[in-house]
Amino acid sequence: MKKILLVAGLAVFLGACSTEYEVEYTNESFTLGNSLTYEMPILESDLLQPTLNQEFSMGDEIQIRNNFWFTDEKSLLSTVDVGYRLVPLDYDYLPYYYLQDDELTEFSVTEVVKEERVTINNREWFHVETAPITFESDGEELQSVDQTYYYRSGFELYNYTFKLTAPKEEYNDQERVALTNERIEEVLGMADFSHEPTKTKEEIHTVLNGTWDAGDSGYLHFNAGELKWYKDSNMQEENVLLIDVTDVVPLIHPENDTEYALLQLDYLTETIDGQTYDSETELTLLINFMDDNNIILADYQTLEYYKLSKVE
């Protein structure tokens, strides 16, 4: 059990005078989605309990957000939201949609000023910072900034959004900024994701390496991150797509142990009847691993899919 000190501004909120008010809090555990178990400091007061809301979006997409009022007079933190998103597609070969980085802030109403990947507690998070919003409260001009950290557990997307609220000049207080960052890392470090992919990128490349028969769609040959997609079983260089595999993302079904992977492809050249053309096409395909010798490649954009059987 820890103690925090609530100063005059909060005391006014509590209906008290301008004296300091002391309250205790404990870390309590919560769950979200199919994978996340996390702890959050909960204040031991009826007036200071957090709001815990679950909001479901319209349509098939599932969105849940747990809201906590975060009181820490030494840092800039005011609230933290722990969010969850999952987009079902209901196809055997495309069970869920994978939300990519450029889609996370697509409909943001606030300008994004920073995007970066950071590692906290041996996990990689995608960090987004918004531009400051200025507003007035009780005659004082305050500034608010959102710091959001995204983490993927398979198809499931989780995020922590920390709201930093204080007078503008306090954002220049390096001690408070350092304590804020320390507090954020502490909270993120208490996240535990239990349902995650077991295949590594290297293992997926190992499974893919070799030649695959795609029936009427031709033959595919993977080799160390390079893909050649031939027109037919003759596998002639006169009719081939040369493709760079720019990334492989291991995925897992949220409710069972079915393994998937996302392939990021960059089409380099297309050769048709011996004539080569440059290509600038980028494509995202989902792999459904039936077993190590049979896979399905599915296109998110067209919903087309290709059944592949390994030849060698």
Side-chain angles (χ1 to χ4, degrees):
M1 182 175 294
K2 302 179 181 179
K3 291 185 179 181
I4 61 175
L5 202 59
L6 306 180
V7 293
L10 184 55
V12 172
F13 171 79
L14 295 171
C17 60
S18 59
T19 58
E20 294 176 340
Y21 178 83
E22 191 173 89
V23 65
E24 295 179 338
Y25 70 89
T26 58
N27 288 345
E28 294 188 16
S29 294
F30 300 89
T31 60
L32 190 61
N34 295 283
S35 183
L36 175 61
T37 299
Y38 65 98
E39 293 185 16
M40 192 64 63
I42 300 303
L43 299 165
E44 295 181 340
S45 164
D46 291 339
L47 291 174
L48 299 178
Q49 285 297 313
T51 57
L52 185 61
N53 299 329
Q54 295 188 336
E55 301 178 2
F56 293 83
S57 64
M58 298 293 291
D60 293 333
E61 181 175 347
I62 301 168
Q63 288 195 36
I64 307 174
R65 190 174 73 236
N66 292 347
N67 316 110
F68 299 90
W69 182 43
F70 206 110
T71 303
D72 186 348
E73 83 284 357
K74 293 182 180 180
S75 76
L76 302 171
L77 296 176
S78 58
T79 62
V80 57
D81 289 354
V82 185
Y84 170 78
R85 291 178 70 182
L86 183 65
V87 185
L89 292 178
D90 296 329
Y91 295 95
D92 290 339
Y93 56 93
L94 275 177
Y96 298 96
Y97 186 76
Y98 177 86
L99 288 158
Q100 301 187 60
D101 291 354
D102 58 359
E103 297 173 300
L104 301 182
T105 59
E106 186 175 0
F107 301 106
S108 175
V109 296
T110 308
E111 178 188 359
V112 174
V113 297
K114 180 187 290 186
E115 295 182 5
E116 61 181 350
R117 293 194 176 278
V118 297
T119 300
I120 298 172
N121 198 26
N122 296 320
R123 289 194 176 96
E124 185 179 74
W125 299 76
F126 182 61
H127 172 227
V128 174
E129 179 181 329
T130 63
I133 295 176
T134 302
F135 63 98
E136 188 173 298
S137 177
D138 295 331
E140 183 178 24
E141 187 175 74
L142 301 178
Q143 187 170 279
S144 179
V145 173
D146 283 353
Q147 303 268 7
T148 301
Y149 293 79
Y150 295 93
Y151 184 81
R152 294 182 178 87
S153 179
F155 293 96
E156 299 176 289
L157 180 69
Y158 294 88
N159 71 272
Y160 282 70
T161 297
F162 298 89
K163 187 173 290 294
L164 283 56
T165 305
K168 183 177 180 180
E169 61 272 11
E170 293 188 17
Y171 283 81
N172 298 320
D173 185 331
Q174 295 306 306
E175 183 178 353
R176 294 199 72 185
V177 170
L179 286 170
T180 299
N181 293 333
E182 181 181 317
R183 194 65 158 145
I184 287 174
E185 291 196 15
E186 178 186 348
V187 172
L188 294 178
M190 292 189 288
D192 181 25
F193 298 91
S194 59
H195 194 70
E196 299 198 82
T198 57
K199 278 186 170 66
T200 65
K201 291 186 179 186
E202 292 74 20
E203 289 170 338
I204 291 171
H205 276 296
T206 299
V207 172
L208 290 179
N209 283 344
T211 302
W212 299 80
D213 181 356
D216 294 340
S217 298
Y219 279 71
L220 287 73
H221 181 75
F222 288 89
N223 180 30
E226 181 184 86
L227 167 61
K228 289 185 176 181
W229 197 324
Y230 295 95
K231 179 180 179 180
D232 52 40
S233 60
N234 292 326
M235 299 178 66
Q236 298 297 313
E237 299 295 327
E238 286 79 10
N239 290 285
V240 64
L241 282 168
L242 181 60
I243 302 169
D244 184 24
V245 181
T246 58
D247 197 13
V248 172
V249 181
L251 299 171
I252 194 168
H253 193 284
E255 297 169 351
N256 57 51
D257 294 326
T258 305
E259 296 278 352
Y260 298 83
L262 202 74
L263 279 186
Q264 302 281 12
L265 304 178
D266 184 6
Y267 284 51
L268 304 177
T269 61
E270 182 177 8
T271 302
I272 304 174
D273 296 330
Q275 185 67 41
T276 299
Y277 307 90
D278 290 334
S279 177
E280 296 181 355
T281 303
E282 294 182 354
L283 190 63
T284 299
L285 295 179
L286 181 72
I287 305 175
N288 181 351
F289 292 97
M290 312 294 286
D291 54 56
D292 285 353
N293 295 306
N294 293 278
I295 63 176
I296 294 176
L297 288 183
D299 186 337
Y300 273 125
Q301 280 68 44
T302 66
L303 300 182
E304 291 182 296
Y305 65 95
Y306 312 92
K307 290 185 177 181
L308 278 59
S309 298
K310 200 161 195 176
V311 177
E312 57 180 76

